[in-house]
Amino acid sequence: MMQGAAQRPSVPRSGAPARAVGVGRIKVVDMTVRNDTLPGAAGQAAHRRLVGRLLRGTAWSMVGIAALGLTRLIYTALVGRTGDPARLAEVNAQVSLAFFATFATAAATGAGASKFLPLLTASSGPAAAAAVRRRLRHWTILSTGTVTAGIAALGPWLLPGTGYDGVVEVCALTVAYGAYSYTKSVLYGFHLAHRYAVLEVCADTAILVLTVAAVWWAPDLVLAPLVIGYAAFAIGATLSTPRHVPGPIPPVGAELGGFVAFTALGIAAGQGFFQISMVVARHTADGGDAGAYAAAMALVSPAFFLPRALALAFFPAAAEAVGRGDDRALAQHTRQLTRLLWLAAAPALTVAAIVGTPALRLVFGPSYEGGGPVLAILLGAVLLYVLAVPSVNVLSAQPLRFARIPPLASTVGGLVGAVTWLVLAERLGAVGVACGYLAGMLVQAGTPLTITFRRIGPPRPATAARVVLSLLVSVGLGWLAVADPQPIVVGVGVVGYLAIFCVLFRRDLVATARIVRHKGGFPKPSAPLTT
């Protein structure tokens, strides 16, 4: 996570080819050995554009995704507060199924737009990018229509107790959220993060206003506000993106199709793994236990949004840098971004786990405080997800033979989680479902982290020891707070953990603060990374 420059592999002379290094049976490129192919002044200017887009895009993304996370939390709290845990479990299962369906379709084609639009614009021009955009739009419509038809046919079995009117709402939400996911990625493909943020805030405001009306006057239509809000976003995003006359399709057919297919597999097995766990909890746990799992999911969900905001900005910038051959900057940024995420996420998620039971009681009511153990386990899994985001994006921005690594890891992790569910879910209920998610995330996040940091240099032994010690303290204090959620135990746990973390990572916190205050956001690629 925090790497020393002494551990980085040597760099060959200018003009030397990239080295392919084997890891097991998979060959990946050592991203530190390729030299920036641009000349001095042009290379520095391109680097400044990359950093500027990354910083501006992340800032705007954080605004939009903060609004998204707050809206999801308030929406779930409104449903939970005005209904019993069984009703919350039913609604959350419906939403999760709709989202899961789009992960394998519109989210995958959207990722293709986020990668190939900036890549082809930089390498082949706007007309080539417009041709690829047109093809991706057709794939989005076809795939979304197919999964929506599948939900219409299988909905009553996938969602026990849901009538056909509820299935129709789920189908409508699938279409609307699919359009939202794809058009959002297109905005990022054109580096329009500021437009995304404005549209997101407007759509989320509409969702909350309509949800308040629905829970009081039309409780059977609580999915309608989501459908309206996401559809309005998609319309606004479509009208906000530049239009270019498509030219001939560039020779990226196999690369494009393969990337979308592997990404669909990866997103469905990765992000979809989290959503489908709610459906599993609905099938394996009783109504109250499943409702507690739904409440824990709602509190965990905002933790995904900071790394997603970073990824939305970083991935197009990374793809553009790959198109220029500027892999050295990518490697350096990967180290720094991973360190930044560790320093931000580890204390935040640990504190959330310690105060989890009181938070569930405060937000959702006393009927949901039994979800404390589930919340703590899910937060541990989310920490792994957060730390892997830069590594996943750097691998995904590479050619297909490297981009397939994260989705394959996500698929294997999903299978590991499913096996764990078969063993534990019936016996432990919601806690067993959360354990399955954690087991799968160890594979999904651990694989790209391990591969990437073997290429760019492992952490120093002292750094690794501090990270392990911090994790042990987190687990111990979190377990005490879950077992005895009294105010004095929770308070001592929070203060004690933060003090220990600051002592362990004092120098890293200072170094990261200096980087953030740097005029360019990050040192130039040739500058040594000091940690």
Side-chain angles (χ1 to χ4, degrees):
M1 298 161 188
M2 284 64 70
Q3 281 67 31
Q7 298 293 328
R8 296 199 301 273
S10 61
V11 180
R13 296 187 304 273
S14 176
R19 292 188 290 120
V21 183
V23 180
R25 294 187 176 181
I26 300 175
K27 287 186 176 181
V28 299
V29 161
D30 184 339
M31 290 173 290
T32 62
V33 303
R34 287 181 59 189
N35 290 290
D36 190 354
T37 57
L38 296 175
Q44 292 180 5
H47 172 65
R48 286 194 296 270
R49 288 195 300 272
L50 170 66
V51 171
R53 285 173 176 172
L54 174 58
L55 295 177
R56 290 192 301 271
T58 300
W60 279 109
S61 297
M62 289 177 66
V63 172
I65 292 192
L68 173 64
L70 186 62
T71 299
R72 298 269 180 87
L73 180 59
I74 295 174
Y75 175 87
T76 307
L78 286 170
V79 176
R81 280 285 187 177
T82 56
D84 57 21
R87 173 59 176 163
L88 179 61
E90 179 185 11
V91 172
N92 263 34
Q94 292 172 348
V95 174
S96 293
L97 180 60
F99 286 4
F100 175 76
T102 64
F103 290 159
T105 54
T109 55
S114 184
K115 175 178 179 177
F116 285 92
L117 291 183
L119 190 153
L120 290 173
T121 299
S123 63
S124 304
V132 168
R133 179 185 176 186
R134 179 174 57 188
R135 175 171 294 183
L136 288 170
R137 182 172 61 247
H138 293 164
W139 288 357
T140 301
I141 295 171
L142 178 61
S143 59
T144 301
T146 301
V147 296
T148 302
I151 291 176
L154 301 176
W157 175 76
L158 294 171
L159 302 168
T162 300
Y164 282 103
D165 54 342
V167 173
V168 170
E169 285 189 86
V170 175
C171 291
L173 180 57
T174 301
V175 174
Y177 192 75
Y180 162 86
S181 299
Y182 175 74
T183 54
K184 176 174 67 175
S185 295
V186 171
L187 286 174
Y188 275 93
F190 285 108
H191 303 292
L192 297 175
H194 59 291
R195 296 188 187 179
Y196 157 70
V198 172
L199 289 169
E200 184 69 63
V201 170
C202 293
D204 290 340
T205 301
I207 287 173
L208 290 180
V209 171
L210 293 173
T211 300
V212 171
V215 296
W216 288 110
W217 294 296
D220 292 335
L221 298 176
V222 291
L223 295 188
L226 298 176
V227 174
I228 295 172
Y230 291 134
F233 177 99
I235 294 172
T238 301
L239 297 176
S240 299
T241 51
R243 296 184 180 277
H244 301 284
V245 177
I249 191 76
V252 294
E255 182 81 13
L256 178 66
F259 176 83
V260 170
F262 274 112
T263 301
L265 183 65
I267 296 178
Q271 297 180 32
F273 184 38
F274 182 64
Q275 298 295 336
I276 208 66
S277 69
M278 182 65 243
V279 179
V280 174
R282 179 88 193 285
H283 279 266
T284 59
D286 59 47
D289 204 19
Y293 190 89
M297 277 187 66
L299 289 184
V300 164
S301 294
F304 286 100
F305 296 139
L306 171 61
R308 286 180 183 172
L310 178 64
L312 283 169
F314 182 49
F315 184 57
E320 182 178 330
V322 169
R324 296 195 315 267
D326 193 7
D327 287 342
R328 184 183 299 176
L330 283 181
Q332 184 167 326
H333 291 168
T334 302
R335 295 188 192 95
Q336 294 170 336
L337 292 173
T338 303
R339 178 176 62 182
L340 175 63
L341 287 173
W342 164 259
L343 295 175
L349 296 180
T350 298
V351 169
I354 293 173
V355 304
T357 300
L360 285 167
R361 186 189 307 118
L362 175 66
V363 176
F364 294 96
S367 300
Y368 297 90
E369 62 184 2
V374 172
L375 178 60
I377 296 170
L378 291 179
L379 286 169
V382 171
L383 178 60
L384 294 171
Y385 171 88
V386 168
L387 296 177
V389 164
S391 298
V392 168
N393 277 268
V394 168
L395 289 173
S396 298
Q398 302 294 322
L400 182 59
R401 61 186 182 276
F402 312 131
R404 66 185 179 183
I405 294 173
L408 290 176
S410 294
T411 303
V412 175
L415 294 175
V416 170
V419 171
T420 307
W421 286 337
L422 291 175
V423 175
L424 297 180
E426 290 289 348
R427 287 187 288 177
L428 300 180
V431 171
V433 178
C435 288
Y437 183 68
L438 175 60
M441 190 54 63
L442 286 169
V443 178
Q444 292 185 349
T447 301
L449 267 172
T450 301
I451 290 175
T452 298
F453 277 91
R454 285 189 65 179
R455 304 280 62 77
I456 65 177
R460 294 176 293 182
T463 299
R466 287 185 285 126
V467 169
V468 171
L469 179 58
S470 174
L471 291 174
L472 292 175
V473 172
S474 301
V475 173
L477 293 177
W479 180 82
L480 288 175
V482 168
D484 185 17
Q486 298 300 317
I488 184 65
V489 176
V490 172
V492 170
V494 170
V495 174
Y497 174 77
L498 291 178
I500 293 171
F501 187 87
C502 289
V503 170
L504 290 173
F505 297 99
R506 181 182 70 258
R507 292 182 179 179
D508 300 285
L509 290 167
V510 172
T512 301
R514 289 173 180 169
I515 292 175
V516 171
R517 288 197 301 267
H518 191 276
K519 289 183 180 180
F522 296 101
K524 294 180 181 179
S526 58
L529 177 65
T530 56
T531 51

